[in-house]
Coordinates of all heavy atoms in Angstrom, one line a residue:
M173 N 70.3 430.5 44.9 CA 70.2 429.5 46.0 C 70.6 428.1 45.4 O 70.5 427.8 44.2 CB 68.7 429.5 46.4 CG 68.5 428.9 47.8 SD 69.0 430.2 49.0 CE 69.1 429.2 50.4
Y174 N 71.0 427.3 46.3 CA 71.4 425.9 45.9 C 70.2 425.0 45.6 O 69.1 425.2 46.2 CB 72.2 425.2 47.0 CG 73.5 425.9 47.3 CD1 73.8 426.5 48.5 CD2 74.5 425.9 46.3 CE1 75.0 427.2 48.7 CE2 75.7 426.5 46.5 CZ 76.0 427.2 47.7 OH 77.2 427.8 48.0
Q175 N 70.4 424.2 44.6 CA 69.3 423.3 44.2 C 69.3 422.0 45.2 O 70.3 421.7 45.8 CB 69.6 422.8 42.8 CG 69.5 423.9 41.8 CD 69.7 423.4 40.4 OE1 69.9 422.3 40.1 NE2 69.7 424.4 39.4
P176 N 68.2 421.4 45.2 CA 68.0 420.2 46.1 C 69.1 419.1 45.8 O 69.5 418.4 46.7 CB 66.6 419.7 45.8 CG 65.9 420.8 45.3 CD 66.9 421.7 44.6
K177 N 69.5 419.0 44.5 CA 70.5 418.0 44.1 C 71.8 418.2 44.9 O 72.5 417.3 45.3 CB 70.7 418.0 42.6 CG 71.3 416.8 42.1 CD 71.4 417.0 40.5 CE 71.5 415.6 39.9 NZ 71.5 415.7 38.5
Y178 N 72.2 419.5 45.0 CA 73.4 419.9 45.7 C 73.3 419.5 47.2 O 74.2 418.9 47.7 CB 73.6 421.4 45.6 CG 74.7 421.9 46.5 CD1 76.0 421.7 46.1 CD2 74.4 422.6 47.7 CE1 77.1 422.2 46.9 CE2 75.4 423.0 48.5 CZ 76.8 422.9 48.1 OH 77.8 423.3 48.9
H179 N 72.2 419.7 47.8 CA 72.0 419.4 49.2 C 72.0 417.9 49.4 O 72.6 417.4 50.4 CB 70.7 420.0 49.8 CG 70.7 421.5 49.9 ND1 71.6 422.2 50.7 CD2 70.0 422.4 49.2 CE1 71.4 423.5 50.5 NE2 70.5 423.6 49.6
R180 N 71.4 417.1 48.5 CA 71.4 415.7 48.6 C 72.8 415.1 48.5 O 73.2 414.2 49.2 CB 70.4 415.1 47.5 CG 69.9 413.8 47.8 CD 68.8 413.4 46.8 NE 68.8 413.9 45.5 CZ 67.8 414.7 45.0 NH1 66.8 415.1 45.8 NH2 67.9 415.2 43.8
R181 N 73.6 415.7 47.6 CA 74.9 415.2 47.4 C 75.8 415.5 48.6 O 76.6 414.7 49.1 CB 75.6 415.9 46.2 CG 76.8 415.3 45.7 CD 77.3 415.9 44.4 NE 76.3 416.8 43.9 CZ 76.5 417.8 43.1 NH1 77.7 418.1 42.7 NH2 75.6 418.6 42.6
R182 N 75.6 416.7 49.2 CA 76.3 417.0 50.5 C 75.9 416.1 51.6 O 76.8 415.6 52.4 CB 76.1 418.4 50.9 CG 76.9 419.4 50.1 CD 76.7 420.8 50.6 NE 77.0 420.9 52.0 CZ 78.0 421.5 52.6 NH1 78.8 422.1 51.8 NH2 78.2 421.5 53.9
Q183 N 74.7 415.7 51.7 CA 74.2 414.8 52.7 C 74.8 413.4 52.5 O 75.2 412.7 53.4 CB 72.7 414.8 52.8 CG 72.1 414.0 53.9 CD 70.6 414.0 53.9 OE1 70.0 414.4 52.9 NE2 70.0 413.7 55.0
K184 N 74.8 413.0 51.3 CA 75.4 411.7 50.9 C 76.9 411.6 51.3 O 77.4 410.6 51.9 CB 75.3 411.4 49.5 CG 73.9 410.9 49.0 CD 74.0 410.6 47.5 CE 72.6 410.3 47.0 NZ 72.7 409.9 45.5
A185 N 77.6 412.7 51.1 CA 79.0 412.8 51.4 C 79.2 412.7 52.9 O 80.1 412.0 53.4 CB 79.6 414.1 50.9
A186 N 78.4 413.4 53.7 CA 78.5 413.3 55.1 C 78.2 411.9 55.7 O 78.9 411.4 56.6 CB 77.5 414.3 55.8
V187 N 77.2 411.3 55.1 CA 76.9 409.9 55.5 C 78.0 408.9 55.2 O 78.4 408.1 56.0 CB 75.6 409.4 54.9 CG1 75.3 407.9 55.1 CG2 74.4 410.2 55.5
F188 N 78.6 409.1 54.0 CA 79.7 408.3 53.6 C 80.9 408.5 54.5 O 81.6 407.5 54.8 CB 80.1 408.6 52.1 CG 81.1 407.7 51.6 CD1 80.9 406.4 51.2 CD2 82.4 408.2 51.4 CE1 81.9 405.6 50.7 CE2 83.4 407.4 50.9 CZ 83.1 406.1 50.6
V189 N 81.2 409.7 54.8 CA 82.4 409.9 55.7 C 82.1 409.3 57.1 O 83.0 408.7 57.7 CB 82.6 411.5 55.8 CG1 83.6 411.8 57.0 CG2 83.2 412.0 54.5
G190 N 80.9 409.4 57.6 CA 80.5 408.7 58.8 C 80.7 407.2 58.8 O 81.3 406.6 59.7
F191 N 80.3 406.6 57.6 CA 80.5 405.2 57.5 C 82.0 404.8 57.4 O 82.4 403.8 58.0 CB 79.9 404.7 56.2 CG 78.4 404.4 56.3 CD1 77.6 404.5 55.2 CD2 77.8 404.1 57.5 CE1 76.2 404.2 55.2 CE2 76.5 403.8 57.6 CZ 75.7 403.9 56.5
V192 N 82.8 405.6 56.8 CA 84.2 405.4 56.7 C 84.9 405.5 58.1 O 85.7 404.7 58.5 CB 84.9 406.3 55.7 CG1 86.4 406.3 55.8 CG2 84.5 406.0 54.3
L193 N 84.5 406.5 58.8 CA 85.1 406.7 60.2 C 84.7 405.5 61.1 O 85.6 405.0 61.8 CB 84.7 408.0 60.8 CG 85.3 409.3 60.1 CD1 84.7 410.5 60.8 CD2 86.8 409.2 60.3
L194 N 83.5 405.1 61.0 CA 83.0 404.0 61.9 C 83.8 402.7 61.4 O 84.1 401.9 62.3 CB 81.5 403.8 61.8 CG 80.9 402.8 62.7 CD1 81.2 403.2 64.2 CD2 79.4 402.8 62.5
S195 N 84.0 402.6 60.1 CA 84.7 401.4 59.6 C 86.1 401.4 60.1 O 86.7 400.3 60.5 CB 84.6 401.4 58.1 OG 85.3 400.2 57.6
V196 N 86.8 402.5 60.2 CA 88.1 402.6 60.7 C 88.2 402.3 62.2 O 89.1 401.5 62.6 CB 88.7 404.0 60.4 CG1 90.0 404.2 61.2 CG2 89.0 404.2 58.9
I197 N 87.2 402.7 62.9 CA 87.2 402.4 64.4 C 87.0 400.9 64.6 O 87.6 400.3 65.4 CB 86.0 403.2 65.0 CG1 86.4 404.7 65.1 CG2 85.8 402.7 66.4 CD1 85.3 405.6 65.5
I198 N 86.1 400.3 63.8 CA 85.8 398.9 63.9 C 87.1 398.1 63.5 O 87.4 397.1 64.1 CB 84.6 398.5 63.0 CG1 83.3 399.0 63.6 CG2 84.6 397.0 62.8 CD1 82.1 398.8 62.8
F199 N 87.8 398.5 62.5 CA 89.1 397.9 62.1 C 90.1 397.9 63.2 O 90.8 396.9 63.5 CB 89.6 398.5 60.8 CG 91.0 398.0 60.4 CD1 91.1 396.8 59.9 CD2 92.1 398.8 60.7 CE1 92.3 396.3 59.5 CE2 93.4 398.3 60.3 CZ 93.5 397.0 59.8
M200 N 90.2 399.1 63.9 CA 91.1 399.2 65.0 C 90.7 398.3 66.1 O 91.6 397.7 66.8 CB 91.2 400.7 65.4 CG 91.8 401.6 64.4 SD 93.4 401.1 63.8 CE 94.4 401.6 65.2
C201 N 89.4 398.2 66.4 CA 89.0 397.2 67.4 C 89.3 395.8 67.1 O 89.8 395.0 68.0 CB 87.5 397.4 67.7 SG 87.0 398.9 68.5
Q202 N 89.1 395.4 65.8 CA 89.5 394.1 65.4 C 91.0 393.8 65.5 O 91.4 392.7 65.9 CB 89.0 393.8 64.0 CG 87.5 393.6 64.0 CD 87.0 393.3 62.6 OE1 87.5 393.9 61.6 NE2 86.0 392.5 62.4
L203 N 91.8 394.8 65.1 CA 93.2 394.6 65.2 C 93.6 394.5 66.7 O 94.5 393.7 67.0 CB 93.9 395.9 64.6 CG 95.4 395.8 64.5 CD1 95.8 394.6 63.6 CD2 95.9 397.1 63.9
W204 N 93.0 395.3 67.6 CA 93.3 395.2 69.0 C 92.9 393.8 69.5 O 93.7 393.2 70.3 CB 92.6 396.3 69.8 CG 92.7 396.2 71.2 CD1 93.8 396.5 72.0 CD2 91.7 395.9 72.1 NE1 93.5 396.3 73.3 CE2 92.2 395.9 73.4 CE3 90.3 395.5 72.0 CZ2 91.5 395.6 74.5 CZ3 89.6 395.3 73.1 CH2 90.2 395.3 74.4
L205 N 91.8 393.3 69.1 CA 91.3 392.0 69.6 C 92.3 390.9 69.1 O 92.7 390.0 69.8 CB 89.9 391.7 69.0 CG 88.8 392.2 69.8 CD1 87.5 392.0 69.0 CD2 88.6 391.5 71.1
F206 N 92.7 391.0 67.8 CA 93.7 390.0 67.3 C 95.0 390.0 68.1 O 95.5 388.9 68.5 CB 94.0 390.3 65.8 CG 95.0 389.4 65.2 CD1 94.7 388.1 64.9 CD2 96.3 389.9 64.9 CE1 95.7 387.3 64.4 CE2 97.2 389.1 64.4 CZ 96.9 387.8 64.1
V207 N 95.5 391.2 68.4 CA 96.8 391.3 69.1 C 96.6 390.7 70.5 O 97.5 390.0 71.0 CB 97.3 392.7 69.1 CG1 98.5 392.9 70.1 CG2 97.7 393.1 67.7
M208 N 95.5 391.1 71.2 CA 95.2 390.6 72.5 C 95.1 389.1 72.6 O 95.7 388.4 73.5 CB 94.0 391.3 73.1 CG 93.7 391.0 74.5 SD 92.3 391.9 75.2 CE 91.1 391.7 74.0
V209 N 94.4 388.5 71.7 CA 94.2 387.1 71.7 C 95.6 386.4 71.3 O 95.9 385.4 71.9 CB 93.1 386.6 70.7 CG1 93.1 385.2 70.4 CG2 91.8 387.1 71.2
L210 N 96.3 386.9 70.4 CA 97.6 386.4 70.0 C 98.6 386.4 71.2 O 99.3 385.4 71.5 CB 98.2 387.1 68.8 CG 99.4 386.5 68.2 CD1 99.1 385.1 67.7 CD2 99.9 387.4 67.1
E211 N 98.6 387.5 72.0 CA 99.5 387.6 73.1 C 99.0 386.5 74.2 O 99.9 385.9 74.8 CB 99.4 389.0 73.7 CG 100.2 390.0 73.0 CD 100.1 391.4 73.6 OE1 99.3 391.6 74.6 OE2 100.8 392.3 73.1
N212 N 97.7 386.4 74.4 CA 97.3 385.4 75.4 C 97.6 384.0 74.9 O 97.9 383.1 75.7 CB 95.8 385.5 75.6 CG 95.5 386.7 76.6 OD1 96.3 386.9 77.5 ND2 94.4 387.4 76.3
L213 N 97.5 383.7 73.6 CA 97.8 382.3 73.1 C 99.3 382.0 73.3 O 99.7 380.9 73.6 CB 97.4 382.2 71.6 CG 95.9 382.0 71.4 CD1 95.6 382.0 69.9 CD2 95.4 380.7 72.0
L214 N 100.1 383.0 73.0 CA 101.6 382.8 73.2 C 101.9 382.7 74.7 O 102.9 382.0 75.0 CB 102.3 384.0 72.6 CG 102.3 384.1 71.1 CD1 103.0 385.4 70.6 CD2 103.0 382.9 70.5
A215 N 101.1 383.2 75.6 CA 101.4 383.1 77.0 C 100.7 381.8 77.5 O 100.9 381.5 78.7 CB 100.8 384.2 77.8
G216 N 100.1 381.0 76.7 CA 99.5 379.7 77.1 C 98.1 379.8 77.7 O 97.5 378.9 78.2
R217 N 97.4 381.0 77.5 CA 96.0 381.1 78.0 C 95.1 381.2 76.7 O 95.3 382.1 75.9 CB 95.9 382.4 78.8 CG 96.8 382.4 80.1 CD 96.6 383.7 80.9 NE 96.9 384.9 80.2 CZ 98.1 385.5 80.3 NH1 99.0 385.0 81.0 NH2 98.3 386.6 79.6
N218 N 94.2 380.3 76.7 CA 93.3 380.3 75.5 C 91.9 380.6 75.9 O 91.0 380.2 75.1 CB 93.5 379.0 74.7 CG 93.2 377.8 75.5 OD1 92.9 377.9 76.7 ND2 93.2 376.7 74.9
H219 N 91.6 381.2 77.0 CA 90.2 381.4 77.4 C 89.5 382.5 76.7 O 88.3 382.7 76.8 CB 90.2 381.6 78.9 CG 90.9 382.9 79.4 ND1 92.3 382.9 79.6 CD2 90.4 384.1 79.6 CE1 92.6 384.1 79.9 NE2 91.6 384.9 80.0
M220 N 90.2 383.4 76.0 CA 89.6 384.5 75.3 C 89.3 384.3 73.9 O 88.7 385.1 73.2 CB 90.6 385.7 75.4 CG 90.8 386.3 76.8 SD 91.8 387.7 76.7 CE 90.8 388.8 75.8
V221 N 89.7 383.2 73.3 CA 89.5 382.9 71.9 C 88.0 383.0 71.5 O 87.7 383.6 70.5 CB 90.2 381.6 71.5 CG1 89.9 381.3 70.1 CG2 91.7 381.7 71.8
V222 N 87.2 382.3 72.2 CA 85.8 382.2 71.9 C 85.1 383.5 71.9 O 84.4 383.9 71.0 CB 85.1 381.1 72.8 CG1 83.6 381.1 72.5 CG2 85.7 379.8 72.6
Q223 N 85.3 384.3 73.0 CA 84.7 385.6 73.2 C 85.2 386.6 72.1 O 84.4 387.3 71.5 CB 85.0 386.2 74.6 CG 84.4 385.5 75.7 CD 85.3 384.4 76.2 OE1 86.3 384.0 75.7 NE2 84.8 383.8 77.4
A224 N 86.5 386.6 71.8 CA 87.0 387.5 70.8 C 86.5 387.1 69.4 O 86.2 388.0 68.6 CB 88.5 387.4 70.8
S225 N 86.4 385.8 69.1 CA 85.8 385.5 67.8 C 84.4 385.8 67.7 O 83.9 386.2 66.6 CB 86.1 384.0 67.5 OG 85.4 383.2 68.5
A226 N 83.6 385.7 68.7 CA 82.2 386.1 68.7 C 82.1 387.6 68.5 O 81.2 388.1 67.7 CB 81.5 385.7 70.0
L227 N 82.9 388.4 69.2 CA 82.9 389.8 69.0 C 83.3 390.2 67.5 O 82.8 391.1 66.9 CB 83.8 390.5 70.0 CG 83.7 392.0 70.0 CD1 82.3 392.5 70.2 CD2 84.7 392.6 71.1
T228 N 84.3 389.5 67.0 CA 84.8 389.8 65.7 C 83.7 389.5 64.6 O 83.5 390.2 63.7 CB 86.0 388.9 65.4 OG1 87.0 389.3 66.3 CG2 86.5 389.2 63.9
I229 N 82.9 388.4 64.9 CA 81.8 388.1 64.0 C 80.7 389.2 64.0 O 80.2 389.6 63.0 CB 81.2 386.7 64.3 CG1 82.2 385.6 63.8 CG2 79.9 386.5 63.6 CD1 81.9 384.2 64.3
G230 N 80.5 389.7 65.2 CA 79.6 390.8 65.4 C 80.0 392.1 64.7 O 79.3 392.8 64.0
L231 N 81.3 392.4 64.8 CA 81.9 393.5 64.1 C 81.8 393.3 62.6 O 81.6 394.3 61.8 CB 83.3 393.8 64.6 CG 83.4 394.3 66.0 CD1 84.9 394.4 66.4 CD2 82.7 395.6 66.2
L232 N 82.0 392.1 62.1 CA 81.9 391.8 60.7 C 80.5 392.1 60.2 O 80.3 392.6 59.1 CB 82.3 390.4 60.4 CG 82.1 389.9 59.0 CD1 83.0 390.6 58.0 CD2 82.3 388.4 58.9
A233 N 79.5 391.7 61.0 CA 78.1 392.0 60.7 C 77.8 393.5 60.6 O 77.1 393.9 59.6 CB 77.2 391.3 61.7
V234 N 78.4 394.2 61.4 CA 78.2 395.7 61.4 C 78.9 396.2 60.1 O 78.3 397.1 59.4 CB 78.8 396.4 62.6 CG1 78.8 397.9 62.5 CG2 78.0 396.0 63.8
N235 N 80.0 395.7 59.7 CA 80.7 396.2 58.5 C 79.9 395.8 57.3 O 79.8 396.6 56.3 CB 82.1 395.6 58.4 CG 83.1 396.5 59.0 OD1 83.0 397.7 59.0 ND2 84.2 395.9 59.5
V236 N 79.3 394.6 57.2 CA 78.5 394.2 56.1 C 77.2 395.1 56.0 O 76.8 395.5 54.9 CB 78.1 392.7 56.2 CG1 77.0 392.3 55.2 CG2 79.3 391.9 56.0
W237 N 76.6 395.4 57.2 CA 75.5 396.3 57.2 C 75.8 397.7 56.6 O 75.1 398.3 55.9 CB 75.0 396.4 58.6 CG 73.9 397.4 58.8 CD1 72.6 397.3 58.4 CD2 74.0 398.7 59.4 NE1 71.9 398.5 58.8 CE2 72.8 399.3 59.3 CE3 75.1 399.4 59.9 CZ2 72.6 400.6 59.8 CZ3 74.9 400.7 60.4 CH2 73.7 401.3 60.4
M238 N 77.0 398.2 57.0 CA 77.4 399.5 56.5 C 77.7 399.4 55.0 O 77.4 400.4 54.3 CB 78.7 400.0 57.3 CG 78.4 400.4 58.7 SD 79.7 401.3 59.5 CE 81.1 400.4 59.1
L239 N 78.3 398.3 54.5 CA 78.5 398.2 53.1 C 77.2 398.2 52.3 O 77.1 398.8 51.3 CB 79.3 396.9 52.8 CG 79.6 396.6 51.4 CD1 80.5 397.7 50.8 CD2 80.2 395.3 51.2
A240 N 76.2 397.5 52.9 CA 74.9 397.5 52.2 C 74.3 399.0 52.2 O 73.7 399.4 51.3 CB 73.9 396.6 52.9
G241 N 74.5 399.7 53.3 CA 74.1 401.1 53.4 C 74.8 402.0 52.3 O 74.1 402.8 51.7
V242 N 76.1 401.8 52.1 CA 76.8 402.5 51.1 C 76.3 402.2 49.7 O 76.1 403.1 48.9 CB 78.3 402.3 51.2 CG1 79.1 402.8 50.0 CG2 78.8 402.9 52.5
N243 N 76.0 400.9 49.5 CA 75.4 400.5 48.2 C 74.1 401.1 48.0 O 73.8 401.6 46.8 CB 75.4 399.0 48.1 CG 76.7 398.4 47.9 OD1 77.6 399.0 47.3 ND2 76.9 397.1 48.2
R244 N 73.2 401.2 49.0 CA 71.9 401.8 48.9 C 72.1 403.3 48.6 O 71.4 403.9 47.8 CB 71.1 401.6 50.1 CG 70.4 400.3 50.2 CD 69.3 400.3 51.3 NE 69.8 400.7 52.6 CZ 70.3 399.9 53.5 NH1 70.4 398.6 53.3 NH2 70.8 400.4 54.6
L245 N 73.1 403.9 49.3 CA 73.3 405.3 49.1 C 73.8 405.7 47.7 O 73.4 406.7 47.1 CB 74.4 405.8 50.1 CG 74.7 407.2 50.3 CD1 73.5 407.9 50.9 CD2 75.9 407.4 51.2
L246 N 74.6 404.8 47.1 CA 75.1 405.1 45.8 C 74.0 404.8 44.7 O 74.1 405.5 43.7 CB 76.3 404.1 45.5 CG 77.6 404.4 46.3 CD1 78.7 403.4 46.0 CD2 78.1 405.8 46.0
K247 N 73.1 404.0 45.0 CA 72.0 403.7 44.0 C 71.0 404.9 44.0 O 70.2 405.0 43.0 CB 71.3 402.4 44.3 CG 72.1 401.2 44.0 CD 71.4 400.0 44.3 CE 72.3 398.8 44.0 NZ 71.7 397.5 44.3
M248 N 70.9 405.7 45.1 CA 69.9 406.8 45.1 C 70.4 407.9 44.1 O 71.5 408.1 43.9 CB 69.9 407.4 46.5 CG 69.0 406.6 47.5 SD 68.7 407.7 48.8 CE 69.4 406.9 50.2
N249 N 69.4 408.5 43.6 CA 69.7 409.7 42.7 C 69.5 411.0 43.4 O 68.8 411.3 44.2 CB 68.8 409.6 41.5 CG 69.2 408.4 40.6 OD1 70.4 408.1 40.5 ND2 68.3 407.9 39.8

């Protein structure tokens, strides 16, 4: 039978993959926001800049939270 250390390592790997996938999704959202705001700025409309920057700051906070979670995960034995 497998030892608890093996199961703990598999669980850490699953959590890490989840963090990476969520980080990729957040990156794609930020890229989409950047392109959308840039297109609106080039068209002379600047009403979306504040909302997009607020959302980007929120997404940055989620990324920092996930980075802290990965650091906690790596420190566990």
Side-chain angles (χ1 to χ4, degrees):
M173 203 76 198
Y174 294 115
Q175 295 181 2
K177 197 175 203 179
Y178 171 79
H179 293 296
R180 205 169 26 246
R181 194 172 352 152
R182 282 185 53 113
Q183 187 177 17
K184 283 182 186 180
V187 169
F188 183 74
V189 168
F191 279 155
V192 168
L193 288 176
L194 189 57
S195 181
V196 167
I197 291 170
I198 287 173
F199 174 75
M200 296 302 285
C201 288
Q202 285 180 323
L203 186 62
W204 174 70
L205 278 171
F206 175 72
V207 170
M208 187 173 48
V209 168
L210 189 60
E211 285 179 353
N212 280 322
L213 284 175
L214 290 174
R217 299 183 300 263
N218 58 357
H219 62 277
M220 294 185 64
V221 174
V222 175
Q223 293 91 349
S225 62
L227 186 58
T228 298
I229 290 171
L231 292 174
L232 175 67
V234 171
N235 269 331
V236 169
W237 173 76
M238 287 192 315
L239 179 63
V242 168
N243 285 335
R244 278 193 309 268
L245 190 67
L246 292 175
K247 286 181 184 178
M248 280 198 242
N249 289 331

